[in-house]
Amino acid sequence: MIGVLVSGNGTNLQALIDDGLPISAVAANRKDAYALVRAREAGIPRATFSLDCHDSREERDLMMATWLEEHGAELVVLAGYMHLLTEPFLRRFPERIVNVHPSLLPAFPGAHAIRDAMTAGADPTGVTVHYVDGDLDTGPVLAQQPVPLEPRATLEARIHAVEHELLPRVVRELCPAR
């Protein structure tokens, strides 16, 4: 079973749902994340774990990990989740946390990868699915797919289209092993 972490619109979550993957729970760090609506419409249990409701990020992550485990999550997928996970969470799901990132890592880690790739003129750029470790976008790479930089006007949409294909494919490959 898969637990999914989200922060925003949830298009990567929707791609996982549309692929029919066994999602047992969706957790968000923002109560206004539209991804929670997507989870509700799909009948998936969902919860919000806002930082302002906890004494520390570590406490929040521990509560979130416990909730995911209670809902049967064995693999955790970060689908547009915009917080670094702390050690208490990472210890609960060792080598079982996957992230999708809009660049060919190790190039352009962080929250502004598409903008950074355009500024640098990186051609191609692309999408990476990787395991999550304790640092920012540094975990072992599971799959990458290049995306041409040009035409720049459509780069973001083309990157997202590749994310929506690559992430479900990699997650599906990981599921039988769980």
Side-chain angles (χ1 to χ4, degrees), residues 88-142:
F89 192 99
L90 296 171
R91 276 196 308 268
R92 297 288 278 278
F93 297 97
E95 298 178 13
R96 294 182 290 138
I97 306 170
V98 175
N99 185 40
V100 62
H101 184 75
S103 77
L104 296 175
L105 292 173
F108 313 112
H112 305 288
I114 295 172
R115 181 196 69 201
D116 295 345
M118 285 196 292
T119 299
D123 194 14
T125 186
V127 174
T128 301
V129 178
H130 65 96
Y131 280 119
V132 173
D133 60 16
D135 293 317
L136 180 63
D137 297 325
T138 59
V141 170
L142 293 162

Side-chain angles (χ1 to χ4, degrees), residues 100 126-127 145-147 157-168:
V100 62
V127 174
Q145 186 170 328
V147 175
R158 290 182 292 115
I159 291 271
H160 291 315
V162 170
E163 288 178 340
H164 300 161
E165 180 273 324
L166 188 61
L167 180 62

